């Protein structure tokens, strides 16, 4: 049995999945190494959710991502049948030119390392396992799947900020992210409702990171994320759109350092900052505190505003799609957001919404509304296999 390994590496965790490839792709294993460098713990489940591993390790054994990758590789070799034919990696930044996944070699890896200043919190973690594998198993095919690639086909005009043009040339552009999720959802929509998928659609990826994308005929036209994963919607701990003047104020009047500012914007803001309590929508929904209500009201408000902006980019709207943690699992949040979309013709069907059906709008709704589970790992596995087959 040939298999493809999908790797999604973050700053202190390494998520991975194994797919069998024989014509179609079948998920076999899903695992996560958490607490890398602090309290490493490896949990692996099989296709049916059965526990295959659950073990803690001393810090010295799994001090960094390369060590985690090595350990996961050893587990797979010892405990898992199958011949690994390729590894697909989630890479947050593909820079201005990569419109599709790419086979990794030393040249590409060098290029991707150059984008680290554009995504300092994610890119080094994404690239560390690639570098480790390239050194240990240079013959193994590795594929980089970029979160930015899906947005690259759009009108480059949309990628500009209104600052002097030379900054654009050096890479200060609106890249857009969550592309693997949008691509997967666009593909699902084309299967579920081809007419709708071919029209004007907003997909709202509402997880701990959150953004929205305007799609025409399944292709990205606009999105709420820009140069970094900070723009657009408020997120679990990230601020979303903010007047740059606020940053100048914090730097100049409050004497904040760049590092403090980065920490504030990435880790202490969003739902967490507004509520003063939690970054998790479940906690906020369960809370009686006014801060929790404010955070959720603001989140819904901003989604409504951004929906208007993206509908304008599309010149109208045929469908709105919810996906990721909040979008897939919270009928209450979907309902609250849909109220903001009534002027666009949204009428939710409360029974379908509560039941978590794919189509959740009423038959008399001018706007079709869907809740579609995303699957970024499957998207990466597909790309990796496709590139190999080509
Ligand atoms: P990520 O992959 O970006 O870490 P997810 O897509 O898993 O995030 O989304 C995580 C978020 O989804 C959680 O922080 C939580 O707020 C939210 N979430 C998950 N399940 C529910 C639910 N049943 N109701 C409300 N929010 C939920």
């Amino acid at each position: 049995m040939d298999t493809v390994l999908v790797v999604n590496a973050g700053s202190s965790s390494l998520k991975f999945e194994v797919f069998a490839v024989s014509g179609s792709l079948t998920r076999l294993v899903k695992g996560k190494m958490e607490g890398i460098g602090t309290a490493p713990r490896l949990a692996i489940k099989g296709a049916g959710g059965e526990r295959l591993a659950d073990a803690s390790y001393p810090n010295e054994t799994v001090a960094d991502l390369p060590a985690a990758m090595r350990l996961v590789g050893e587990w797979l070799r010892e405990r898992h049948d199958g011949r690994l034919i390729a590894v697909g990696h989630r890479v947050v930044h593909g820079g201005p030119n990569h419109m599709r996944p790419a086979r990794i070699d030393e040249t590409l890896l060098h290029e991707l390392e150059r984008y680290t200043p554009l995504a300092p919190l994610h890119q080094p973690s994404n690239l560390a396992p690639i570098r480790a594998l390239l050194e240990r198993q240079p013959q193994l095919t590795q594929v980089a799947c970029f979160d930015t690639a899906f947005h690259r086909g759009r009108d480059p005009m949309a990628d500009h900020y209104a600052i002097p043009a030379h900054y654009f040339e050096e890479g200060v552009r609106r890249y857009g992210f969550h592309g693997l999720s949008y691509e997967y959802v666009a593909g699902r929509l084309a299967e579920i409702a081809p007419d709708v998928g071919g029209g004007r659609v907003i997909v709202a990826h509402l997880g701990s990171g959150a953004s929205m994308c305007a799609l025409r005929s399944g292709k990205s036209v606009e999105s709420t994320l820009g140069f970094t994963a900070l723009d657009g919607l408020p997120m679990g701990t990230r601020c979303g759109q903010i007047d740059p003047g606020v940053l100048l104020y914090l730097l100049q009047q409050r004497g904040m350092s760049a590092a403090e500012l980065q920490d504030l914007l990435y880790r202490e803001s969003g739902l967490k900052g507004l509520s003063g309590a939690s970054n998790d929508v479940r906690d906020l929904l369960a809370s009686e505190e006014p801060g929790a209500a404010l955070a959720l009201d603001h989140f819904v408000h901003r989604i409504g505003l951004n929906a208007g902006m993206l509908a304008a980019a599309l010149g109208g709207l045929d469908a709105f799609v919810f996906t990721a943690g909040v979008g897939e699992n919270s009928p209450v949040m979907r309902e609250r957001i849909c109220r903001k979309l009534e002027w666009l013709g949204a009428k939710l069907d409360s029974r379908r919404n509560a039941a978590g059906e794919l189509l959740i709008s009423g038959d008399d709704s001018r706007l079709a509304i869907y809740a579609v589970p995303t699957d970024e790992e499957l998207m990466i596995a597909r790309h990796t296999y496709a590139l190999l087959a080509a």
Side-chain angles (χ1 to χ4, degrees):
M1 174 182 49
D2 287 347
T3 60
V4 164
L5 171 66
V6 171
V7 175
N8 183 354
S11 57
S12 67
S13 74
L14 188 138
K15 292 191 227 167
F16 60 95
E17 299 195 7
V18 178
F19 291 82
V21 294
S22 55
S24 64
L25 291 157
T26 314
R27 187 179 266 110
L28 300 175
V29 166
K30 189 171 175 159
K32 188 173 187 182
M33 172 72 89
E34 283 180 298
I36 296 168
T38 52
R41 183 180 169 157
L42 177 66
I44 307 180
K45 290 184 173 166
E50 71 281 15
R51 200 167 74 173
L52 300 178
D54 194 350
S56 298
Y57 295 87
N59 264 345
E60 316 77 78
T61 317
V62 197
D64 53 18
L65 279 164
M69 193 67 242
R70 192 175 321 120
L71 206 130
V72 167
E74 277 165 18
W75 188 91
L76 290 171
R77 268 192 299 279
E78 281 168 23
R79 296 279 310 278
H80 186 66
D81 297 331
R83 191 178 71 97
L84 183 65
I85 55 170
V87 184
H89 298 265
R90 179 186 197 160
V91 177
V92 68
H93 223 299
N97 299 322
H98 288 286
M99 297 183 68
R100 52 187 62 85
R103 199 182 278 250
I104 293 164
D105 57 17
E106 205 42 67
T107 312
L108 177 64
L109 189 53
H110 273 303
E111 182 195 336
L112 299 179
E113 281 166 351
R114 285 209 309 276
Y115 302 138
T116 291
L118 304 183
L121 299 187
H122 295 100
Q123 194 83 340
S125 310
N126 297 161
L127 300 184
I130 298 179
R131 166 71 62 207
L133 277 177
L134 198 62
E135 280 165 10
R136 251 180 290 133
Q137 290 174 262
Q139 75 295 342
L140 181 63
T141 300
Q142 297 195 72
V143 175
C145 300
F146 308 110
D147 263 318
T148 47
F150 186 65
H151 303 291
R152 289 291 65 74
R154 69 190 186 188
D155 185 341
M157 174 277 298
D159 293 351
H160 282 262
Y161 289 108
I163 55 176
H166 65 88
Y167 290 109
F168 181 85
E169 295 311 322
E170 74 177 60
V172 183
R173 304 178 180 204
R174 296 183 64 241
Y175 292 99
F177 298 90
H178 287 142
L180 293 158
S181 175
Y182 292 129
E183 188 179 8
Y184 177 81
V185 170
R188 280 292 288 141
L189 204 58
E191 289 167 5
I192 300 163
D195 290 355
V196 177
R200 300 161 300 178
V201 178
I202 292 175
V203 180
H205 176 109
L206 308 177
S208 37
S211 73
M212 290 158 72
C213 181
L215 298 110
R216 185 181 288 119
S217 306
K219 302 265 183 283
S220 170
V221 169
E222 251 302 346
S223 71
T224 59
L225 283 174
F227 178 55
T228 65
L230 277 179
D231 204 359
L233 305 178
M235 310 178 210
T237 62
R238 289 177 244 157
C239 59
Q241 186 189 1
I242 188 166
D243 179 343
V246 175
L247 313 187
L248 294 175
Y249 168 82
L250 294 173
L251 289 168
Q252 294 167 342
Q253 309 302 323
R254 296 290 300 272
M256 261 193 185
S257 68
E260 286 167 337
L261 194 54
Q262 174 168 298
D263 198 52
L264 177 81
L265 301 177
Y266 277 94
R267 297 206 170 90
E268 299 300 332
S269 297
L271 300 176
K272 182 181 174 192
L274 264 178
S275 68
S278 173
N279 62 332
D280 192 308
V281 171
R282 282 166 296 201
D283 296 343
L284 299 176
L285 283 169
S287 167
E288 306 270 311
E289 293 299 317
L294 170 69
L296 291 179
D297 285 348
H298 182 78
F299 185 53
V300 170
H301 171 67
R302 300 300 307 186
I303 292 169
L305 290 183
N306 280 273
M309 178 185 82
L310 295 180
L314 292 166
L317 195 63
D318 302 311
F320 190 93
V321 184
F322 290 96
T323 195
V326 181
E328 292 168 24
N329 299 306
S330 180
V332 179
M333 291 302 290
R334 290 197 296 254
E335 205 229 308
R336 290 178 63 175
I337 292 162
C338 283
R339 265 188 251 136
K340 300 281 182 193
L341 308 176
E342 279 170 2
W343 67 279
L344 284 163
K347 273 194 196 168
L348 201 65
D349 179 304
S350 36
R351 189 200 60 77
R352 289 175 183 166
N353 183 40
E357 293 183 8
L358 281 173
L359 178 69
I360 56 173
S361 47
D363 294 335
D364 60 342
S365 181
R366 205 196 53 67
L367 187 72
I369 312 168
Y370 293 86
V372 177
T374 192
D375 196 338
E376 289 151 298
E377 287 75 21
L378 180 57
M379 200 67 238
I380 294 171
R382 278 187 193 153
H383 278 309
T384 303
Y385 188 46
L387 218 131
L388 208 66

